[in-house]
Amino acid sequence: MNSGIIGGELFPRNIGVILVQQRILDALNHQRSTTPPVWFMRQAGRSLPEYKKAREGIAMLDSCLMPELAAEITLQPVRRHDVDAAIFFSDIMVPLRLAAVGVDIQPGVGPVLDSPVRTARDIAALPAPTFDDASMIAEAISLIRAELTPEKTLLGFAGAPFTLAAYMVEGRPSKDHLRARALMHSDPDTWDKLLTWCATVSNLFLHVQIDAGAQAVQLFDSWAGSLSRETYARHVLPYSTQALENVTVPRIHFGTNTAHFLDLMAEGVEAVGVDHRLPLDEAARIVPDTVLQGNIDPALLFAGADTLHAHALDIVRRGLAAPAHIVNLGHGVPPTTDPGVLTELVAYLHSLDTDKLIG
Ligand code: CP3
């Protein structure tokens, strides 16, 4: 090895590889770090004043297609909170826009489609599930990777086909997804075509992000918990598998209210998200070989520091039952969250040493 003497000390010169600990990627590889890794779903967004300022006068989906702006918003929570991962600022509806489907995200409402997709004829009228130009996504990811320090992980993501379809069939947000849940039973053939279309655009969206430098990905199936185990297995899971096809980076599969089919969600992925309803040691009994992510109750962000710390500590302890654990909320950061609470929560988690919690 090349070496030189400085001040009488021997030091290595041409270090070919500098090993930097990446807590999130390590956890996804079943390597538990003694410091709990943490990031938050929806960490970029309305809880941050710098986000509101950056977004002023720019529509949500438009902002996702502006590389410098998307990169800046992605990095804001990493700078402010020192979380261990950046999640790409975008939306599960962006692939629809890239495929030329008429969709908007209305402030305070959520995703709204120009024309809901409910019949075989509606599906036939959908544009082909391809992107004319996704270069702005790749450019944003490259800008983020260039800025992100090497110990932070860049996460890409996509919506799972069921959650995407729930918006497409209803045409707007709905509580119970009744139309979508009826369609899969009343017209399985149309359902198959719609879910295949959704899986194709989500898969493309993931590959654009991975090719540009996303180091792990999360598939968001936020509304899957409204389904029975049997319905999930038959009408949903095969398409989520398709959305993750040929993904070569670690995969996190997220849903809420999914205790009754967590083992199915864990098939073929490295990690599953767990919401606040299911204690992590119980989740570890259901999926003993899978890394767990979660599951701080977002409501506890409003309960005061002592209560929040006790809750977070209990979660870290229970997470020791899994091969590795990434701390997160059970669902996204509520828009009214005080950002200072998140910054302080990260500092608290990073002050813990899990070796000292065992026993
Ligand atoms: O996590 C992150 O910080 C990364 C960016 C991200 C956004 N949406 C930004 C966003 C991610 C990963 C998503 C995923 C997403 N989008 C999901 C899955 C996760 C979940 O929360 O269940 C879903 C279901 C959507 C669809 C969607 N987009 C909804 C329901 C809404 C909220 C509508 C509202 O106003 O209440 C959005 C809008 C959205 N996506 C915002 C952000 C920052 C808010 C837009 C704004 O600032 O006006």
Side-chain angles (χ1 to χ4, degrees):
M1 183 196 285
N2 270 335
S3 61
I5 307 276
I6 283 186
E9 294 274 15
L10 199 61
F11 72 98
R13 233 185 233 162
N14 303 315
I15 304 175
V17 182
I18 299 174
L19 286 175
V20 177
Q21 200 193 14
Q22 277 227 8
R23 290 181 193 132
I24 301 262
L25 280 186
D26 285 352
L28 290 168
N29 282 314
H30 291 211
Q31 310 231 304
R32 186 187 284 289
S33 72
T34 53
T35 307
V38 55
W39 68 280
F40 303 118
M41 291 179 279
R42 289 284 179 89
Q43 63 190 20
R46 284 175 302 178
S47 66
L48 298 186
E50 59 270 37
Y51 166 81
K52 285 179 213 157
K53 192 148 178 275
R55 273 279 321 280
E56 246 165 47
I58 305 171
M60 173 63 195
L61 286 181
D62 292 345
S63 70
C64 296
L65 304 180
M66 299 164 70
E68 282 88 7
L69 183 59
E72 164 60 22
I73 295 173
T74 301
L75 292 164
Q76 284 174 348
V78 183
R79 288 190 206 114
R80 187 191 261 265
H81 303 312
D82 193 32
V83 276
D84 296 295
I87 179 153
F88 179 45
F89 175 76
S90 195
D91 196 84
I92 62 166
M93 296 323 237
V94 165
L96 269 63
R97 176 70 73 88
L98 292 175
V101 172
V103 61
D104 194 16
I105 292 185
Q106 293 183 2
V109 178
V112 177
L113 276 94
D114 292 352
S115 330
V117 182
R118 293 176 185 165
T119 63
R121 211 206 258 177
D122 297 337
I123 310 258
L126 277 175
T130 53
F131 304 152
D132 258 359
D133 177 16
S135 58
M136 69 300 269
I137 303 297
E139 203 183 322
I141 296 273
S142 307
L143 289 170
I144 300 161
R145 278 300 300 274
E147 288 280 324
L148 212 56
T149 52
E151 73 279 9
K152 309 286 188 196
T153 301
L154 176 55
L155 301 174
F157 74 92
F162 171 69
T163 289
L164 275 188
Y167 286 106
M168 291 175 80
V169 176
E170 300 287 344
R172 55 192 305 112
S174 78
K175 268 217 175 74
D176 41 21
H177 326 292
L178 271 184
R179 281 197 180 91
R181 293 199 288 123
L183 182 65
M184 65 177 80
H185 299 287
S186 66
D187 190 349
D189 190 43
T190 295
W191 181 253
D192 171 66
K193 289 195 173 71
L194 176 58
L195 274 265
T196 301
W197 191 95
C198 292
T200 308
V201 294
S202 281
N203 185 254
L204 268 179
F205 190 51
L206 290 176
H207 281 290
V208 172
Q209 295 168 74
I210 294 162
D211 291 348
Q215 295 160 296
V217 293
Q218 176 156 318
L219 194 69
F220 282 91
D221 212 350
S222 308
W223 312 136
S226 64
L227 304 167
S228 72
R229 180 180 173 91
E230 198 195 337
T231 304
Y232 179 78
R234 177 145 171 225
H235 294 293
V236 172
L237 179 61
Y239 306 97
S240 296
T241 304
Q242 199 183 326
L244 289 169
E245 222 160 62
N246 295 323
V247 167
T248 49
V249 297
R251 296 151 293 187
I252 307 166
H253 199 175
F254 167 78
T256 61
N257 240 333
T258 52
H260 53 302
F261 52 73
L262 202 63
D263 55 325
L264 301 179
M265 291 189 75
E267 280 176 16
V269 300
E270 283 65 37
V272 290
V274 176
D275 78 4
H276 65 276
R277 296 170 182 90
L278 181 67
L280 290 184
D281 45 347
E282 280 182 36
R285 275 197 284 279
I286 304 172
V287 289
D289 302 321
T290 306
V291 175
L292 298 180
Q293 179 176 275
N295 64 348
I296 294 176
D297 183 347
L300 275 274
L301 298 173
F302 303 88
D306 292 348
T307 309
L308 178 58
H309 288 182
H311 178 62
L313 182 61
D314 180 55
I315 281 166
V316 170
R317 278 186 202 278
R318 290 176 191 269
L320 294 172
H325 169 216
I326 298 167
V327 182
N328 204 313
L329 304 178
H331 204 163
V333 173
T336 50
T337 306
D338 171 356
V341 170
L342 295 178
T343 308
E344 201 277 327
L345 177 58
V346 174
Y348 171 71
L349 287 160
H350 283 169
S351 76
L352 297 176
D353 177 345
T354 53
D355 278 350
K356 297 197 175 122
L357 299 179
I358 300 168

